[in-house]
Amino acid sequence: DIQMTQSPSSLSASVGDRVTITCRASQGIGSNLAWFQQKPGNAPKSLIYAASSLQSGVPPRFSGSGSGTDFTLTISSLQPEDFATYYCQQYNISPFTFGPGTNVDFK
Amino acid sequence: EVQLVESGGGLVKPGGSLRLSCAASGFTLNNYIMNWVRQTPGKGLEWVSSISNIGSYIYYADSVKGRFTISRDNSKNSLYFQMSSLRAEDTAIYYCATGKGGYQIDYWGQGTLVTVSS
């Protein structure tokens, strides 16, 4: 099975900060990687698919990059509504594993 | 607008069974791969099962293989999840999810809570 790791597991940031979250796959997955945002009490929301493609309606301050085993999610200027937990998921091969999540909270 | 609405969650005793349903609207179900993803309260997301657009390919996480069965009825625009031999560790919110291409997830339901407890 492909193991997904994320770093950091949590971070504290301020509005306006540039935030980068890293996701690593235990073996190559091409560009078959998605990023999700989840706020407490809500279902996850899809942000990015195919490693770097923005979902419709997602603000352009979110961006994704990477291929193979190393991926990043970047928020160029953190907004109050961005404080949440972020998950990556590989959908290259079953089981379609998620990363453990990165909690972004207010500094 | 794509909408996914799960139902069927509830309280069940260990060893019991439950059937979840997911009603889809706003798109033609038979064009999409469908998934179940679960989340233990306060914990991360766990992919549990996927079914291809006409049910030819089915995948399960090891944690549910042999106990849970995914199925779909495209004529009713519905996805199902038959859960048997339930354990306390199956307690979670179960989300129905789908996507526009391959096994990627673009859309999520609101989830249904399954609690396994005596």
Side-chain angles (χ1 to χ4, degrees):
Chain A
D1 295 359
I2 297 175
Q3 310 303 318
M4 305 300 293
T5 57
Q6 287 182 234
S7 60
S9 58
S10 66
L11 66 90
S12 297
S14 300
V15 173
D17 284 353
R18 181 181 182 88
V19 169
T20 298
I21 298 169
T22 297
C23 176
R24 178 164 291 172
S26 60
Q27 60 186 268
I29 58 171
S31 296
N32 294 314
L33 183 106
W35 289 97
F36 305 97
Q37 175 194 66
Q38 189 177 33
K39 298 178 182 179
N42 289 352
K45 173 187 176 182
S46 300
L47 297 177
I48 286 170
Y49 64 98
S52 61
S53 297
L54 214 59
Q55 289 283 359
S56 175
V58 173
R61 63 180 179 272
F62 290 92
S63 64
S65 65
S67 67
T69 59
D70 294 313
F71 303 85
T72 59
L73 172 70
T74 300
I75 309 172
S76 59
S77 178
L78 197 68
Q79 297 302 300
E81 60 269 30
D82 300 337
F83 291 97
T85 300
Y86 294 85
Y87 297 92
C88 62
Q89 186 212 16
Q90 67 83 15
Y91 52 92
N92 189 58
I93 189 168
S94 175
F96 304 117
T97 38
F98 286 86
T102 295
N103 183 56
V104 177
D105 65 16
F106 184 72
K107 184 184 289 184
Chain B
E1 179 193 3
V2 171
Q3 278 201 317
L4 301 167
V5 179
E6 302 93 337
S7 60
L11 176 64
V12 60
K13 289 182 168 51
S17 299
L18 210 57
R19 189 196 197 206
L20 306 183
S21 298
C22 173
S25 61
F27 67 105
T28 304
L29 193 71
N30 60 11
N31 291 335
Y32 289 78
I33 290 168
M34 300 296 294
N35 310 272
W36 288 101
V37 175
R38 69 185 181 183
Q39 185 171 36
T40 303
K43 302 288 188 181
L45 300 168
E46 179 189 12
W47 169 85
V48 286
S49 185
S50 297
I51 183 169
S52 61
N53 61 334
I54 57 171
S56 303
Y57 300 96
I58 288 175
Y59 302 100
Y60 297 102
D62 285 347
S63 57
V64 306
K65 198 175 294 182
R67 301 187 297 123
F68 293 7
T69 302
I70 191 172
S71 62
R72 61 194 295 159
D73 186 339
N74 290 338
S75 68
K76 295 182 179 179
N77 254 28
S78 292
L79 174 72
Y80 305 103
F81 209 31
Q82 178 67 48
M83 304 186 295
S84 303
S85 302
L86 282 159
R87 306 166 180 166
E89 55 265 35
D90 296 318
T91 294
I93 299 170
Y94 286 74
Y95 295 102
C96 166
T98 190
K100 298 186 289 288
Y103 290 91
Q104 76 184 52
I105 291 175
D106 303 305
Y107 308 107
W108 297 77
Q110 86 289 347
T112 187
L113 177 62
V114 172
T115 303
V116 184
S117 175
S118 54

